[in-house]
Amino acid sequence: MNFDECMNYIGSYSRLGKKVTDLSRAAELMERVGNPQNDLKFVHIAGTNGKGSTLEYIANALIISGYKTGEFTSPYVTHFTDRIRINSAEIDEKSLGEICEFVSERAAEREYSQFEITMAIAMLWYKREKCDVVVLEAGIGGLLDSTNVIPSPLLSVITSVSLDHTSILGNTVEEIAVQKAGIIKKKSITVLSMDNEKSVTNIIRRTAGKKGSFFVQPLSCNLKYLSSDSDGVRFIYKKKEYKTAMAGSFQMYNAVTAIESCWYLRTVWGFKISDENIKKSISNARVKARAQYIDGNPPVIVDGGHNPSGITAFSQLILSERYQGRKIYTVMGMSGTKDYHQCVIQITAVSDMIFFVDDFTENCVSAKILADIAGEYIPAEACTLTEALEKSKRLARENNGIVVVCGSLYLASSYLNKNTGNNITNN
């Protein structure tokens, strides 16, 4: 298959497939393609926010330390192949075509999801390329996520847990935590981010105990915040100083989760990851569409955060010293599956004007509905994405302002695909 044929084949399946109540469908697909996941080692990551950053910190440390490291992220940011990588290099079109054809010849006439087909392709590539380890991000939830067909991982890493995908995962943080805890397995070490509610911690700890998994959660008494600026966050953890390349104080928690994960990969599983390489990874790891700063006239900040906790973290960054005194003109769009009402109210607190859009992907919330919510607080307008960008950039140029694009990873992807360049950094 060539690349277009691969995309057509994958696109012939629905985005989510039929609702699942167990992992039998994903397990059957993997069996049909030879169960490549059973010949790989994994670090499995679930959570509501922070998965992508934490994955990048851990994978980067492994790569720097000389390990052939697979990286599987969800969803892709700007193009399909950016979600399937080895040592940061995306799957090549030749390999994609060969493996996609192999999968198509073996997949049953069943209603698999695009995600399941994509995961099968990725696992076959990681096995073919003889990866030492794969850092694997769960899609939605954990318990019933198709990535959970893997054998017991080296680490089960759970980042910040909050409300998201409530129609699928549950209406409370506790119900969602149960789903995230589903990735915990026997003989695996469970690492939980410290920025979680006590009820979440109790659920994860209890699940780990039942599964016979050693539970680890970094202690806040070992963490000291130093500063946060345009170049990242400085902090001390267990008497060692670190600095992230990604901005936002919340990155400190993602980094600490990754630091603990790397320490256990070293001390329990024998990976030769030095303290220096961990520090180096924290200092240079970046993720697209996570508070991504694009220099220009005007500057643009792109963020894919799409739930209240993600928008809160991003809003705190906008309120930081770097952006004080500058007008903020926001372009925002949201999926109907998200708590858009709360997210809109939160972003109004840091914006001077918002342009709402609903033409960047399917299932968007009506721009007019969003504008009506925000209009109770600040000037707001519903328009097309092209109009929103033109108006926001013009106002930002006239008033020494900054344009913010946020509310959906699909919106961030749409913007980045049309505005890529070498001047993009995660600041």
Side-chain angles (χ1 to χ4, degrees), residues 206-278:
R206 186 165 58 247
T207 303
K210 289 179 180 177
K211 294 287 184 68
S213 173
F214 184 74
F215 176 80
V216 177
Q217 185 176 37
L219 299 175
S220 58
C221 61
N222 291 323
L223 176 65
K224 181 181 180 181
Y225 168 83
L226 295 177
S227 65
S228 180
D229 56 28
S230 61
D231 295 322
V233 186
R234 290 176 58 246
F235 63 93
I236 293 173
Y237 182 62
K238 290 185 175 179
K239 300 181 180 180
K240 292 182 175 67
E241 185 172 335
Y242 300 88
K243 181 179 176 300
T244 70
M246 291 185 275
S249 58
F250 54 90
Q251 285 296 344
M252 174 174 63
Y253 302 113
N254 298 332
V256 167
T257 303
I259 291 166
E260 284 284 350
S261 298
C262 288
W263 283 350
Y264 278 91
L265 284 173
R266 180 175 67 196
T267 57
V268 174
W269 299 112
F271 284 81
K272 294 179 171 59
I273 309 173
S274 68
D275 290 343
E276 185 59 35
N277 283 345
I278 296 173

Side-chain angles (χ1 to χ4, degrees), residues 12-30:
S12 69
Y13 294 91
S14 67
R15 195 167 65 85
L16 296 176
K18 278 190 174 181
K19 184 176 180 180
V20 297
T21 56
D22 57 36
L23 293 171
S24 60
R25 190 176 73 194
E28 181 201 55
L29 174 61
M30 297 307 293

Side-chain angles (χ1 to χ4, degrees), residues 92-111:
D92 60 282
E93 290 191 11
K94 183 175 182 293
S95 295
L96 177 63
E98 291 171 350
I99 296 172
C100 189
E101 185 167 344
F102 178 88
V103 171
S104 71
E105 292 169 349
R106 287 156 181 79
E109 293 295 325
R110 290 196 59 181
E111 295 191 15

Side-chain angles (χ1 to χ4, degrees), residues 344-358:
V344 168
I345 292 173
Q346 288 175 228
I347 206 67
T348 60
V350 297
S351 302
D352 291 279
M353 185 171 184
I354 306 183
F355 299 92
F356 289 100
V357 299
D358 58 14

Side-chain angles (χ1 to χ4, degrees), residues 63-288:
I63 293 166
I64 292 170
S65 301
Y67 293 99
K68 194 168 191 178
T69 306
E71 301 160 84
F72 184 80
T73 55
S74 175
Y76 66 82
V77 179
T78 58
H79 52 279
F80 177 80
T81 56
D82 71 24
R83 69 185 306 175
I84 306 173
R85 292 168 287 149
I86 294 176
N87 286 8
S88 299
E90 299 172 12
I91 185 171
D92 60 282
E93 290 191 11
K94 183 175 182 293
S95 295
L96 177 63
E98 291 171 350
I99 296 172
C100 189
E101 185 167 344
F102 178 88
V103 171
S104 71
E105 292 169 349
R106 287 156 181 79
E109 293 295 325
R110 290 196 59 181
E111 295 191 15
Y112 298 118
S113 68
Q114 293 176 15
F115 187 87
E116 288 164 343
I117 296 293
T118 299
M119 182 188 70
I121 292 169
M123 295 297 177
L124 285 163
W125 188 51
Y126 298 143
K127 178 182 177 179
R128 188 168 87 170
E129 296 299 316
K130 299 179 181 178
C131 286
D132 297 311
V133 62
V134 175
V135 190
L136 179 71
E137 180 183 347
I140 297 177
L143 181 64
L144 298 178
D145 187 77
S146 58
T147 61
N148 211 24
V149 298
I150 64 169
S152 186
L154 305 173
L155 304 177
S156 301
V157 181
I158 300 175
T159 60
S160 176
V161 177
S162 59
L163 294 176
D164 197 10
H165 296 292
T166 51
S167 62
I168 300 173
L169 303 180
N171 295 313
T172 67
V173 171
E174 290 75 21
E175 288 176 340
I176 292 173
V178 170
Q179 294 296 315
K180 306 297 184 184
I183 70 167
I184 298 172
K185 295 181 175 69
K186 292 180 180 179
K187 299 179 182 179
S188 175
I189 296 167
T190 299
V191 182
L192 176 67
S193 176
M194 70 168 65
D195 59 333
N196 275 296
E197 296 179 16
K198 186 175 181 179
S199 60
V200 170
T201 298
N202 289 339
I203 288 168
I204 305 300
R205 180 188 285 113
R206 186 165 58 247
T207 303
K210 289 179 180 177
K211 294 287 184 68
S213 173
F214 184 74
F215 176 80
V216 177
Q217 185 176 37
L219 299 175
S220 58
C221 61
N222 291 323
L223 176 65
K224 181 181 180 181
Y225 168 83
L226 295 177
S227 65
S228 180
D229 56 28
S230 61
D231 295 322
V233 186
R234 290 176 58 246
F235 63 93
I236 293 173
Y237 182 62
K238 290 185 175 179
K239 300 181 180 180
K240 292 182 175 67
E241 185 172 335
Y242 300 88
K243 181 179 176 300
T244 70
M246 291 185 275
S249 58
F250 54 90
Q251 285 296 344
M252 174 174 63
Y253 302 113
N254 298 332
V256 167
T257 303
I259 291 166
E260 284 284 350
S261 298
C262 288
W263 283 350
Y264 278 91
L265 284 173
R266 180 175 67 196
T267 57
V268 174
W269 299 112
F271 284 81
K272 294 179 171 59
I273 309 173
S274 68
D275 290 343
E276 185 59 35
N277 283 345
I278 296 173
K279 183 178 289 189
K280 190 181 297 183
S281 172
I282 301 298
S283 69
N284 64 29
R286 300 178 187 274
V287 181
K288 289 185 287 188

